[in-house]
């Protein structure tokens, strides 16, 4: 284990932590001293000693590093599973301090081809899955704060995406879910501040199973040599910082992270305000707004700004 352990004594839950971003985030928090609950789908074994769950493998990686970890096998978007996930942290390690919501998957389709199941399933896992973890973690922290009469050490780190900003054309379900995650994070940051809890959202650009095929596969492909811009390991240091004591004053923020860059995302800016001379009529709207829009092209190439 590292000698730099600012999270010594802290307890973290990382969802979707068997692979990809979740895995490297769980390992990073463990390196920084946290005891980690590794959540992912799977089973606790079949009673014969065989356990093929990749979540168990991450737990063993952490233990091999000299850290402490426990698995939680459950669906983050199921009420009782999410409740049990938070309880696993408290029952196993005696507390909860950090929640990293990462679990998710894609069902990409153009909006005119998307099925109801493809829409509902992505919203369910990403948005509801984030909500349930936050719901039970914040309840635990609020009750603890009320019991002690003071603040708690609580960190919520949610995973959004630039698909929310740029409206990924083949991912209307995913973009909507990630927009909802940002809004929910901002809401939580405001209401939980008085308890000492921070809530932030990251927008990672990283190679995961969600982009190893399809339209973005070529962009995120691992290079044959040189700096690997989209390696998920570039994301985990930011998660470690947001989970740590140095980020006590960091809340309500959204940050893009990849490669060597971290970019702070500000709230959408207000464009010019138009004022009616008396009251709005269709012709007055056209007269006021028409010239402005005539000088600006439609916003249909959001992802063109990405490298």
């Amino acid at each position: 284990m590292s000698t730099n352990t600012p999270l010594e004594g802290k307890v973290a839950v990382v969802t979707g932590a068997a692979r990809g971003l979740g895995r490297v985030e769980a390992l990073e928090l463990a390196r920084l001293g946290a005891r980690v609950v590794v959540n992912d789908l799977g089973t606790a074994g079949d009673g014969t000693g065989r356990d093929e769950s990749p979540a168990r493998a991450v737990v063993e990686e952490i233990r091999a590093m000299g850290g402490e970890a426990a698995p939680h096998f459950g669906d983050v978007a199921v009420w009782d599973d999410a409740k049990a996930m938070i309880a696993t942290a408290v029952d196993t390690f005696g507390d909860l301090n950090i929640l990293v919501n990462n679990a998710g998957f894609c069902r990409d389709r153009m909006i005119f081809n998307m099925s109801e199941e493809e829409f509902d399933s992505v919203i369910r896992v990403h948005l509801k899955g984030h909500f349930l973890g936050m719901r039970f973690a914040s309840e635990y922290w609020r009750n603890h704060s009320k019991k002690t009469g003071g603040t708690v050490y609580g960190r919520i780190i949610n995973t959004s995406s630039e698909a929310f900003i740029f409206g990924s054309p083949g991912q209307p379900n995913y973009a909507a879910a990630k927009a909802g995650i940002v809004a929910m994070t901002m809401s939580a940051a405001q209401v939980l501040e008085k308890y000492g809890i921070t809530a932030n959202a990251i927008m990672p650009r990283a190679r995961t199973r969600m982009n190893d095929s399809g339209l973005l596969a070529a962009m995120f492909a691992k290079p044959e040599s040189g700096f690997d811009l989209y390696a998920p390991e570039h994301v985990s240091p930011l998660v470690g910082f947001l989970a740590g004591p140095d980020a006590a004053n960091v809340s309500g923020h959204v940050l893009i992270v990849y490669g060597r860059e971290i970019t702070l995302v500000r709230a959408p800016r207000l464009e010019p305000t138009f004022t009616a001379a008396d009251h709005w009529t269709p012709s007055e709207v056209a007269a006021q707004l028409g010239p402005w829009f005539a000088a600006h092209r439609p916003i249909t190439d959001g992802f063109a700004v990405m490298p």
Side-chain angles (χ1 to χ4, degrees):
M1 293 291 290
S2 169
T3 56
N4 178 26
T5 54
L7 299 181
E8 188 74 36
K10 301 296 187 289
V11 179
V13 170
V14 183
T15 73
R19 302 179 179 89
L21 278 172
R23 173 182 167 273
V24 298
E25 290 164 352
L27 293 173
E28 179 74 4
L29 296 179
R31 276 192 290 267
L32 295 175
R35 294 164 287 173
V36 184
V37 172
V38 178
N39 159 267
D40 217 299
L41 296 174
T43 64
D46 59 7
T48 64
R50 296 191 299 268
D51 187 349
E52 301 302 323
S53 169
R56 176 71 71 182
V58 177
V59 168
E60 294 306 322
E61 279 191 82
I62 291 173
R63 290 175 178 170
M65 293 162 43
E68 296 182 64
H72 174 264
F73 307 100
D75 186 337
V76 293
V78 171
W79 183 275
D80 288 343
D81 283 5
K83 186 175 183 179
M85 178 179 71
I86 300 304
T88 296
V90 178
D91 294 344
T92 305
F93 299 121
D95 203 355
L96 172 69
N97 308 105
I98 301 153
L99 171 65
V100 181
N101 279 313
N102 170 75
F105 64 88
C106 289
R107 294 289 184 270
D108 295 352
R109 196 82 64 183
M110 294 297 182
I111 195 162
F112 40 75
N113 288 327
M114 183 164 288
S115 70
E116 182 178 20
E117 188 279 333
E118 288 166 339
F119 182 84
D120 287 349
S121 62
V122 169
I123 296 294
R124 173 188 175 274
V125 173
H126 285 275
L127 188 55
K128 186 180 179 183
H130 273 61
F131 160 69
L132 288 180
M134 294 169 66
R135 191 260 183 241
F136 291 113
S138 62
E139 179 185 35
Y140 170 78
W141 287 324
R142 179 174 178 266
N143 289 342
H144 189 68
S145 176
K146 291 172 66 176
K147 183 177 179 180
T148 63
T151 58
V152 300
Y153 190 109
R155 303 282 192 270
I156 296 171
I157 303 161
N158 289 332
T159 307
S160 183
S161 167
E162 290 169 276
F164 146 57
I165 300 175
F166 302 126
S168 179
Q171 299 178 307
N173 47 2
Y174 181 74
K178 293 306 189 181
I181 287 168
V182 170
M184 191 162 54
T185 304
M186 301 303 97
S187 174
Q190 294 180 64
V191 75
L192 298 176
E193 180 183 18
K194 66 180 179 180
Y195 303 112
I197 303 162
T198 67
N200 295 283
I202 63 171
M203 294 180 173
R205 297 182 198 170
R207 185 172 51 255
T208 71
R209 288 193 300 166
M210 291 197 299
N211 55 39
D212 63 3
S213 61
L215 297 174
L216 297 177
M219 171 181 167
F220 286 96
K222 186 174 182 178
E224 293 183 5
S225 62
F227 184 72
D228 186 357
L229 189 65
Y230 298 117
E233 288 78 9
H234 301 317
V235 175
S236 57
L238 174 60
V239 172
F241 166 74
L242 293 174
D246 289 341
N249 195 43
V250 182
S251 192
H253 291 286
V254 180
L255 303 102
I256 299 169
V257 53
Y258 74 105
R260 299 183 178 95
E261 294 186 2
I262 295 173
T263 302
L264 186 64
V265 179
R266 291 295 188 188
R269 67 181 185 182
L270 299 178
E271 293 286 3
T273 298
F274 304 91
T275 305
D278 184 10
H279 61 275
W280 289 113
T281 64
S283 59
E284 178 75 1
V285 172
Q288 291 264 16
L289 275 64
W292 192 89
F293 283 113
H296 294 79
R297 62 189 305 273
I299 303 173
T300 57
D301 59 351
F303 266 101
V305 304
M306 293 182 69

